[in-house]
């Protein structure tokens, strides 16, 4: 049985807009703290947040000695204050851009059940179209979603919504999408703030299709695409893995890796460009499917917590080891990444790095940067209560993960083409479908496998930063229970 915490670790998949935090000094907390009997329900919840974070928060050394919940209009405001206290000296800003509050069970239900609800099932990114306009292109589609059933595919350009062609966002002088432009507002409102809309898409052949979509619930497929390819004399397994869910995702991975093994695949390309995370248990399984036999029984990763909390554990219980059950052993691994690649995706890469020296490469742009995770902590309710529950699940950063060589701490992300992360910078190519060698990122991987080097990069013609519009949460959530 794998050593490790008796908990089920997850990185979710919900909207992550980031937390705008302000640093406040500890002396700002007024004295004395009000008595609990004088507090409102919401203020009591704020108190609970502070109390729990004192115990489990990775950066609990930055928390105030005293805390006045009456200063905050909501528990969200209280959390915003608390996570703004730990400052990263390299950036002079708050290090914690991860902790959050979630309505009871929302996130755990989506990840554990592998289902999504309330959306259309496709996401988009901005790029320049054939007419030199900034336009939105479909990045991915879940097969069982309303969009998937309507035939929407990656590479389709969004050219109309509800009969309007005002769907082209503006771009600011510094290369970011202008969120105040009418085209941007039209698209975001239809995608995220409407229960139904008629979308018009242009295919790569120039023809158009209309998709009248209604937001609904559907089963998420973690593997969006897989294909066995060739480059020179090498056989390659390419898989687009979009979300680390629970057992359904493990089943999908087992099927794909078995297919690769049967075909005699030498190198594997794992496309994580839009993967914001998911189940750490699933990440562990994926690591084992890809690892060499020599990794069996060796350290996969280790947990680091605040010193007070870590002292409560036997050191050996904070180590996860490989338990490889298959015989597949690829010679090399290529990971396609971007700023949307986060948490469990980064954990997968970091765990495997020591076992593929000189044979593991990153292609794309700098990843999100999240080497830490959290537990789901009840706020305002207890898990065993039988009365109606109200309150939140608190996800406050509680641990950091490091690999067998004690490598981690990638808060600034993993940058392809550096000494630490060999590979090459390459831009997204959303105007082509999955598995197309004209995709700049996939093309670089195929070229390197065949020739042992990357192609010279071509300066991108785009005048904007990569901007994916999605609901993707980036985090490492551990639903296994921490000590009380």
């Amino acid at each position: 049985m794998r050593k490790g915490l008796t908990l089920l670790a997850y990185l979710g998949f919900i909207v992550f807009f980031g937390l705008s935090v302000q640093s406040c000094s500890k002396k700002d907390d007024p004295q004395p703290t009000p008595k609990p009997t004088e507090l409102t329900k919401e203020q009591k919840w704020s108190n609970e947040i502070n109390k729990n974070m004192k115990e489990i928060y990775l950066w609990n050394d930055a928390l105030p000695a005293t805390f006045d919940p009456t200063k905050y209009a909501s528990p969200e405001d209280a959390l915003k204050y608390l996570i703004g206290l730990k400052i990263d000296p390299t950036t002079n800003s708050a290090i914690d851009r991860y902790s959050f509050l979630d309505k009871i069970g929302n996130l755990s239900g989506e990840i554990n059940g592998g289902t999504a609800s309330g959306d259309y099932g496709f996401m988009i990114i901005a790029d320049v179209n054939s007419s030199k306009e900034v336009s939105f292109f479909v990045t991915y589609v879940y097969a069982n979603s309303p969009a998937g059933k309507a035939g929407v595919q990656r590479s389709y350009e969004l050219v109309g919504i509800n009969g309007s062609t005002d769907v082209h966002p503006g771009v600011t002088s510094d290369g970011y999408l202008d969120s105040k432009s009418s085209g941007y507002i039209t698209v975001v409102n239809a995608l995220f703030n409407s229960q139904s809309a008629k979308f018009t898409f242009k295919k790569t052949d120039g023809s158009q299709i209309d998709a009248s979509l209604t937001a609904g619930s559907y089963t998420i497929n973690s593997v969006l695409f897989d294909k066995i390819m060739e480059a020179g004399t090498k056989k390659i397994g390419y898989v687009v893995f979009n979300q680390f869910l629970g057992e359904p995702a493990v089943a999908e991975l087992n099927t794909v890796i078995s297919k690769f093994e049967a075909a005699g695949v030498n190198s594997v390309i794992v496309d994580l460009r839009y993967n914001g995370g998911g189940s750490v248990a699933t990440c562990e399984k994926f690591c084992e499917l890809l690892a060499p036999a020599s990794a069996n029984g060796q350290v996969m990763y280790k947990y680091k917590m605040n010193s007070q909390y870590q002292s409560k554990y036997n050191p050996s219980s904070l180590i996860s080891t490989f338990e490889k059950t298959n015989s597949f052993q690829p010679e090399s691994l290529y990971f396609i990444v971007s700023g949307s690649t986060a948490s469990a995706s980064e954990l997968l890469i970091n765990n495997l790095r020591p076992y593929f020296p000189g044979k593991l490469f990153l292609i794309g742009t700098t990843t999100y940067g999240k080497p830490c995770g959290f537990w789901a902590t009840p706020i305002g309710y207890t898990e065993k209560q039988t009365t109606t529950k109200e309150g939140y699940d608190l996800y406050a950063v509680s641990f950091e993960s490091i690999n067998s060589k004690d490598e981690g701490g990638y808060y600034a992300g993993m940058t392809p083409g550096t000494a630490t992360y060999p590979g090459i910078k390459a831009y997204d190519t959303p105007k082509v479908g999955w598995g197309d060698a004209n995709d700049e990122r996939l093309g670089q991987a195929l070229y390197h496998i065949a020739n042992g080097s990357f192609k010279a990069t071509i300066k991108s013609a785009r005048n904007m930063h990569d901007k994916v519009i999605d609901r993707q949460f980036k985090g490492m959530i551990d639903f296994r229970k921490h000590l009380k």
Side-chain angles (χ1 to χ4, degrees):
M1 183 175 183
R2 177 186 292 116
K3 294 180 180 179
L5 297 175
T6 55
L7 21 80
L8 183 59
Y10 283 94
L11 305 101
F13 192 63
I14 57 176
V15 188
F16 183 83
F17 292 109
L19 296 174
S20 177
V21 294
Q22 287 185 315
S23 175
C24 304
S25 64
K26 296 180 181 180
K27 66 182 181 180
D28 289 337
D29 288 276
Q31 306 261 354
T33 301
K35 297 178 181 179
T37 55
E38 301 172 348
L39 301 177
T40 66
K41 177 176 62 179
E42 288 74 16
Q43 290 166 350
K44 289 178 181 178
W45 292 347
S46 295
N47 241 359
E48 281 190 60
I49 291 169
N50 178 64
K51 179 182 177 182
N52 278 280
M53 289 178 67
K54 287 277 191 180
E55 179 187 10
I56 67 172
Y57 193 47
L58 182 61
W59 301 293
N60 66 348
D61 59 323
L63 297 177
T66 59
F67 176 76
D68 180 4
T70 65
K71 290 180 60 178
Y72 309 100
S74 67
E76 288 87 351
D77 288 340
L79 180 64
K80 184 181 294 187
Y81 159 68
L82 292 170
I83 68 174
L85 296 173
K86 184 65 175 182
I87 302 301
D88 184 344
T90 61
T91 63
N92 201 34
S93 60
I95 194 171
D96 187 358
R97 52 195 173 108
Y98 318 108
S99 298
F100 68 100
L101 289 171
D102 185 43
K103 289 298 183 182
I104 301 170
N106 281 2
L107 180 58
S108 60
E110 179 171 321
I111 296 174
N112 288 320
T115 59
S117 60
D119 65 46
Y120 305 118
F122 77 96
M123 294 302 160
I124 56 178
I125 191 173
D127 205 335
V128 178
N129 65 16
S130 58
S131 300
K132 307 303 180 183
E133 299 172 293
V134 177
S135 196
F136 286 113
F137 292 82
V138 175
T139 52
Y140 63 88
V141 185
Y142 289 116
N144 299 314
S145 70
K149 291 180 178 180
V152 180
Q153 297 181 24
R154 174 177 170 81
S155 77
Y156 286 11
E157 180 186 358
L158 179 58
V159 295
I161 293 178
N162 297 325
S164 171
T165 58
D166 186 12
V167 293
H168 301 288
V171 178
T172 63
S173 59
D174 53 356
Y176 289 92
L177 297 184
D178 183 358
S179 61
K180 296 181 180 179
S181 61
S182 60
Y184 184 97
I185 293 171
T186 298
V187 172
V188 169
N189 281 343
L191 198 58
F192 296 129
N193 302 322
S194 302
Q195 286 300 302
S196 63
K198 179 183 177 182
F199 297 89
T200 302
F201 298 97
K202 181 190 288 187
K203 300 181 181 181
T204 53
D205 63 6
S207 63
Q208 294 187 2
I209 67 166
D210 290 326
S212 295
L213 305 179
T214 299
S217 299
Y218 55 91
T219 302
I220 299 171
N221 54 299
S222 293
V223 174
L224 298 184
F225 182 86
D226 67 274
K227 183 179 182 180
I228 294 172
M229 311 176 76
E230 293 185 0
T233 60
K234 301 288 187 178
K235 278 199 172 182
I236 302 154
Y238 173 61
V239 57
V240 181
F241 191 66
N242 208 53
Q243 198 171 354
F244 290 83
L245 299 178
E247 286 304 315
V250 173
E252 291 181 66
L253 286 172
N254 281 329
T255 298
V256 171
I257 297 302
S258 294
K259 187 189 303 183
F260 290 172
E261 183 174 7
V265 160
N266 309 109
S267 299
V268 174
I269 304 170
V270 183
D271 199 328
L272 302 169
R273 73 182 77 189
Y274 307 128
N275 193 320
S279 161
V280 170
T282 300
C283 176
E284 291 172 351
K285 182 61 179 177
F286 203 177
C287 287
E288 291 165 343
L289 290 172
L290 295 173
S294 60
N296 196 37
Q298 302 301 309
V299 173
M300 182 186 294
Y301 67 96
K302 296 176 276 189
Y303 286 93
K304 288 173 59 179
M305 296 176 284
N306 69 56
S307 57
Q308 172 188 327
Y309 204 60
Q310 187 141 350
S311 66
K312 298 182 179 183
Y313 287 92
N314 182 316
S316 64
S317 71
L318 301 178
I319 299 174
S320 181
T321 56
F322 284 93
E323 293 180 8
K324 189 171 178 67
T325 57
N326 69 329
S327 57
F328 182 55
Q329 297 191 83
E331 298 171 3
S332 57
L333 296 178
Y334 294 77
F335 292 99
I336 295 177
V337 298
S338 74
S340 295
T341 305
S343 212
S345 292
E346 293 168 310
L347 181 65
L348 175 71
I349 295 166
N350 201 49
N351 289 348
L352 291 170
R353 284 174 59 208
Y355 298 95
F356 287 86
K359 297 292 185 178
L360 188 152
F361 305 93
L362 269 59
I363 299 171
T365 51
T366 303
T367 66
Y368 183 75
K370 191 178 186 305
C372 54
F374 10 54
W375 285 293
T377 303
I379 298 296
Y381 75 100
T382 63
E383 294 172 313
K384 295 182 179 180
Q385 77 180 61
T386 56
T387 56
T388 301
K389 296 178 181 180
E390 58 178 347
Y392 301 86
D393 288 325
L394 166 66
Y395 296 103
V397 172
S398 305
F399 60 85
E400 183 177 319
S401 61
I402 54 177
N403 66 20
S404 62
K405 289 188 175 182
D406 294 336
E407 298 165 327
Y410 39 85
Y411 288 97
M414 301 174 171
T415 301
T418 59
T420 305
Y421 303 104
I424 192 167
K425 181 177 182 179
Y427 289 101
D428 201 355
T429 317
K431 290 178 282 189
V432 300
W434 294 123
D436 191 321
N438 291 313
D439 173 8
E440 184 178 331
R441 290 168 173 171
L442 176 59
Q444 283 285 14
L446 296 174
Y447 188 89
H448 191 275
I449 293 169
N451 300 284
S453 62
F454 291 105
K455 292 184 290 186
T457 56
I458 300 173
K459 184 176 177 59
S460 175
R462 74 175 65 208
N463 63 344
M464 78 202 86
H465 299 275
D466 279 350
K467 181 59 178 176
V468 178
I469 307 295
D470 67 11
R471 291 180 178 270
Q472 195 162 6
F473 166 76
K474 304 167 181 67
M476 189 184 300
I477 301 171
D478 196 328
F479 286 113
R480 297 174 287 188
K481 299 304 173 186
H482 55 83
L483 295 177
K484 297 296 184 182

